[in-house]
Amino acid sequence: VGMKRNSSDDPDAEYGASPAKSSRQSPQDPPSGVVPVPSAGAPSGERDISFEVAEAESALAKVAKNRVACLSLLCQHAQRIERLWHEDEALRRALLGALSSGLGSLTGHKDQVLRELSWLAPKISADITLQHFLIIVLPIERQHTRGLRDDEFLVLRPDDLGKADLGEKASKGLSTTAPSELVVAAGARMPLTVVLDNLRSAFNVGSIFRTAECLRLERLVLCGYTATPGDASKQTARAAMGADAHVTWEHRSKSLDAVRDLRAAGVPVFALETVAGAASLHSFTFPTPCALLLGNERHGVEADLLAQCSALVRIPCHGVKNSLNVGVAFAICAYEVARQWRWDGEQCLSDTADAPGRPGELERHAESVV
């Protein structure tokens, strides 16, 4: 169905409500809406199915007044049916009946979206094919995802999340005022700093945040008019899909000051730029720690900034346009650095991680900058 998946391996984990009335139908069942109560001597399988159907219907009844919660539960119900389609025919048929009944109960709902979905009820029968079922429930999934914020699609592993060390961040002059509460995980960080020089696209910045979060990079320095997660438009925060809450970042007015401060701290800065004399990414050795400088999507890195860099690095391109989206280029370069350093999320395992580049390389490329 393409819906958001529940992380639990237990299909029963989606339903935590108490039993209620069931609409399961069979030739021996009473009319719809009347629950056949299994007798004490009924087979255990029949009692279990009746219980699960009643549990599902009760859960829906509890959230029926809330459109978002109702859509979410309907999606979970459909997902569960899909998972057990070929495993338990009896339970599948019973849950199909419960889903149809639940949708039918929305006919007079005050919410227009839920009211319109009720027309799906008669289309769901116990003998429906899986392909037809997936097509029928697609409108439910679409309405559900429309109600979600972009950042709710970010998959987080609970054991990776820790509390932000706001005191340490403040002592370093870093931002502690991200739009959402920062929960930057404690632990080692890949010693790579990224400087963004006047990036105009909030979507590109959001993409860079997501890559930085995946690699657990040291920090991002957003310079000039580069869009930040704290902007009023919230476009960067939406594009980052929640990753901005797990990445240390700061804003600087001038990229030149940020680059000079890094170099003064002994951190070499390498510009990722397609210019004459730039070293190929595939042959360049990145020392640790170091910083990457990314320029404006249209104009690239300005000459005064290039002159401050320890070296220039390019990604080989063999097409007509000879350029990559800045977010894509950063991801390629960042993962190449991680590969060289053999970064495993906790430490750099490479024996050459502290090597200052190839012999004479930094000096040679610094001299070639114009």
Side-chain angles (χ1 to χ4, degrees):
V1 183
M3 304 176 188
K4 290 184 71 183
R5 298 296 179 186
N6 192 299
S7 61
S8 173
D9 292 328
D10 180 7
D12 297 329
E14 299 166 348
Y15 302 94
S18 58
K21 291 188 176 182
S22 169
S23 62
R24 181 186 174 213
Q25 297 290 308
S26 72
Q28 293 76 32
D29 284 338
S32 177
V34 179
V35 183
V37 180
S39 64
S44 60
E46 182 178 339
R47 291 198 301 271
D48 291 343
I49 290 176
S50 296
F51 177 83
E52 293 203 34
V53 169
E55 195 174 38
E57 291 180 334
S58 177
L60 181 61
K62 287 187 174 183
V63 300
K65 293 182 179 180
N66 184 304
R67 179 174 71 175
V68 175
C70 186
L71 288 171
S72 177
L73 195 63
L74 287 171
C75 283
Q76 291 177 16
H77 194 154
Q79 290 164 11
R80 187 174 184 218
I81 293 173
E82 180 188 355
R83 288 198 300 270
L84 57 78
W85 194 272
H86 299 292
E87 298 176 4
D88 191 330
E89 180 181 357
L91 180 57
R92 180 194 78 208
R93 294 170 69 91
L95 290 179
L96 281 170
L99 179 59
S100 177
S101 176
L103 287 169
S105 69
L106 302 176
T107 302
H109 203 284
K110 64 179 181 180
D111 184 88
Q112 182 180 352
V113 170
L114 296 180
R115 195 166 58 246
E116 291 176 349
L117 289 177
S118 67
W119 66 271
L120 296 172
K123 299 179 180 294
I124 300 175
S125 68
D127 299 319
I128 193 174
T129 65
L130 176 58
Q131 182 178 4
H132 193 194
F133 172 73
L134 296 179
I135 294 173
I136 288 175
V137 298
L138 185 58
I140 302 174
E141 186 267 343
R142 286 176 174 169
Q143 290 298 337
H144 176 49
T145 54
R146 285 178 183 175
L148 296 175
R149 302 188 306 273
D150 288 342
D151 61 301
E152 291 180 318
F153 284 92
L154 183 66
V155 178
L156 303 177
R157 294 182 297 174
D159 58 335
D160 281 351
L161 303 184
K163 294 182 179 179
D165 187 352
L166 299 182
E168 180 180 354
K169 290 165 63 64
S171 69
K172 294 182 179 180
L174 304 180
S175 171
T176 60
T177 57
S180 58
E181 286 297 321
L182 285 171
V183 287
V184 180
R189 290 273 163 179
M190 179 175 165
L192 178 66
T193 298
V194 183
V195 181
L196 308 184
D197 174 39
N198 292 319
L199 266 64
R200 61 183 181 179
S201 170
F203 301 101
N204 286 336
V205 177
S207 172
I208 291 170
F209 262 100
R210 294 179 66 184
T211 300
E213 193 281 325
C214 285
L215 285 171
R216 294 174 56 83
L217 297 192
E218 184 76 26
R219 62 178 170 136
L220 298 182
V221 184
L222 316 182
C223 302
Y225 58 74
T226 298
T228 75
D231 290 346
S233 68
K234 303 296 183 183
Q235 285 188 330
T236 302
R238 288 196 295 269
M241 295 176 67
D244 56 296
H246 309 288
V247 176
T248 300
W249 62 272
E250 63 175 303
H251 179 265
R252 301 288 295 272
S253 298
K254 297 182 179 180
S255 303
L256 190 59
D257 291 341
V259 171
R260 284 174 173 168
D261 287 348
L262 283 165
R263 296 198 64 180
V267 179
V269 180
F270 305 110
L272 187 59
E273 186 65 285
T274 304
V275 294
S280 170
L281 176 67
H282 301 320
S283 60
F284 190 81
T285 302
F286 289 89
T288 181
C290 70
L292 284 179
L293 172 64
L294 307 178
N296 177 271
E297 295 92 335
R298 182 178 180 86
H299 305 293
V301 181
E302 298 294 337
D304 59 340
L305 281 175
L306 291 177
Q308 294 296 318
C309 293
S310 303
L312 312 182
V313 182
R314 64 179 176 84
I315 299 174
C317 296
H318 308 294
V320 175
K321 296 295 292 183
N322 199 38
S323 66
L324 289 166
N325 169 272
V326 65
V328 173
F330 166 66
I332 293 172
C333 186
Y335 270 88
E336 169 60 19
V337 175
R339 185 196 67 81
Q340 289 186 17
W341 293 352
R342 294 173 59 199
W343 169 248
D344 66 355
E346 294 295 335
Q347 59 182 327
C348 297
L349 301 175
S350 174
D351 295 334
T352 60
D354 294 312
R358 299 182 187 280
E361 192 166 32
L362 302 188
E363 295 79 2
R364 182 171 67 256
H365 289 290
E367 293 174 357
S368 69
V369 175
V370 294

